[in-house]
Amino acid sequence: MRLLRAGAGTFGVREPAPRNRSHFRGDPEMSTHIGAAPGEIAPTVLMPGDPLRAKWIAETFLDDARCYCEVRGMYGYTGTWNGTPVSVQGSGMGQPSLAIYVNELFHEYDVQSVIRVGSCGGLTERVAIRDLVIASGACTDSAMNRIAFEGLDYAPVADFGLLRAAADAAPEAHVGLIFSGDSFYPARPELMTRMVEHGVLAVEMEASALYTLAARHGRRALAICTVSDHIVTGEETSSREREQTFGRMVDVALTAALG
């Protein structure tokens, strides 16, 4: 893929100018945490948790990729895929962090579709390491929705159009429920057994908030995850593999959203 020429020592994409306005809070044209100018973010955004995976996606999959944000090290890029503008924005780990970026993308930049491209942990032997899991819905132990819905149990689900397109693009993928946990090191890991008994395939930390916010704003959302480690078998991938080798889910996401 063709990328804009960058200066020495960069990662092959154009970096922001040294005094990019996103460094200055209070600019009325920019959001607090993303800091992109109006028009710099495409209507479709891929969202990995890892900002370095965002950089790798921009380098590997997009043409003419330009970095529009480096606030707090959470990189964002816009380029084109098959001639269509698309952005990629890191979210950080966990639902509170993702909610910051998704709220600002929807509210400040009128983004229409967000597809999470992240990692997950396999919870059942039905899925294997490096398999794709396309999340039709997301269970959670987070209090975010309990507060928002005053104790009612809201069921966060994917946009059906994106879900169907992703499933068609990846017939090998597992389509089903995932669990969005608030803790990477849970105090009661045995509770996951009940989730598996009810069809949950994998665990991650973001999709429930993404689906809820998309529904609230009338936008489209999907989570496509690669199994990076397995709770049952103990298998795992390295941090470098998680950052730079999970390309299949990116292909599927781009095809589902723009193909």
Side-chain angles (χ1 to χ4, degrees):
M1 295 291 181
R2 184 169 64 89
L3 298 173
L4 296 181
R5 180 67 178 173
T10 66
F11 287 77
V13 293
R14 181 176 294 176
E15 302 293 343
R19 292 182 62 81
N20 187 296
R21 289 188 297 162
S22 66
H23 292 183
F24 300 94
R25 296 187 62 175
D27 190 319
E29 295 185 351
M30 296 184 172
S31 72
T32 302
H33 300 93
I34 296 176
E40 287 190 318
I41 301 179
T44 296
V45 176
L46 303 191
M47 180 166 279
D50 184 352
L52 293 180
R53 187 184 298 140
K55 182 173 287 188
W56 176 77
I57 290 171
E59 289 182 305
T60 306
F61 293 90
L62 304 187
D63 290 328
D64 299 333
R66 179 189 297 271
C67 182
Y68 61 74
C69 177
E70 57 179 7
V71 177
R72 293 175 176 259
M74 200 59 65
Y75 299 119
Y77 299 87
T78 295
T80 62
W81 183 79
N82 290 344
T84 302
V86 62
S87 297
V88 53
Q89 172 67 55
S91 71
M93 294 179 67
Q95 296 182 71
S97 182
L98 174 136
I100 290 171
Y101 295 98
V102 170
N103 268 304
E104 292 184 15
L105 287 172
F106 287 158
H107 187 261
E108 304 293 337
Y109 298 101
D110 199 28
V111 166
Q112 298 299 305
S113 301
V114 175
I115 301 182
R116 168 166 154 70
V117 282
S119 59
C120 64
L123 290 174
T124 169
E125 292 181 346
R126 290 171 54 193
V127 302
I129 201 84
R130 292 186 172 274
D131 279 2
L132 294 188
V133 176
I134 303 172
S136 57
C139 309
T140 188
D141 60 0
S142 174
M144 293 176 70
N145 279 357
R146 293 179 196 150
I147 294 170
F149 293 94
E150 299 186 53
L152 298 179
D153 288 328
Y154 176 73
V157 296
D159 175 81
F160 181 71
L162 288 175
L163 179 70
R164 179 170 55 186
D168 288 344
E172 79 281 9
H174 306 273
V175 179
L177 295 174
I178 59 174
F179 184 86
S180 300
D182 256 359
S183 176
F184 191 84
Y185 301 104
R188 298 283 306 279
E190 71 276 7
L191 295 179
M192 283 296 98
T193 301
R194 298 180 188 175
M195 290 291 159
V196 174
E197 290 172 348
H198 288 78
V200 173
L201 300 173
V203 58
E204 48 86 80
M205 301 181 69
E206 290 84 19
S208 176
L210 173 60
Y211 289 180
T212 302
L213 290 170
R216 183 176 304 162
H217 290 273
R219 309 299 167 86
R220 305 198 307 163
L222 181 66
I224 305 172
C225 296
T226 302
V227 178
S228 61
D229 58 283
H230 208 291
I231 309 304
V232 177
T233 68
E235 297 172 276
E236 60 183 14
T237 56
S238 69
S239 59
R240 183 175 179 82
E241 287 176 311
R242 293 192 296 274
E243 177 189 323
Q244 298 186 3
T245 69
F246 289 178
R248 175 60 175 151
M249 66 181 174
V250 180
D251 279 324
V252 174
L254 290 168
T255 300
L258 306 174

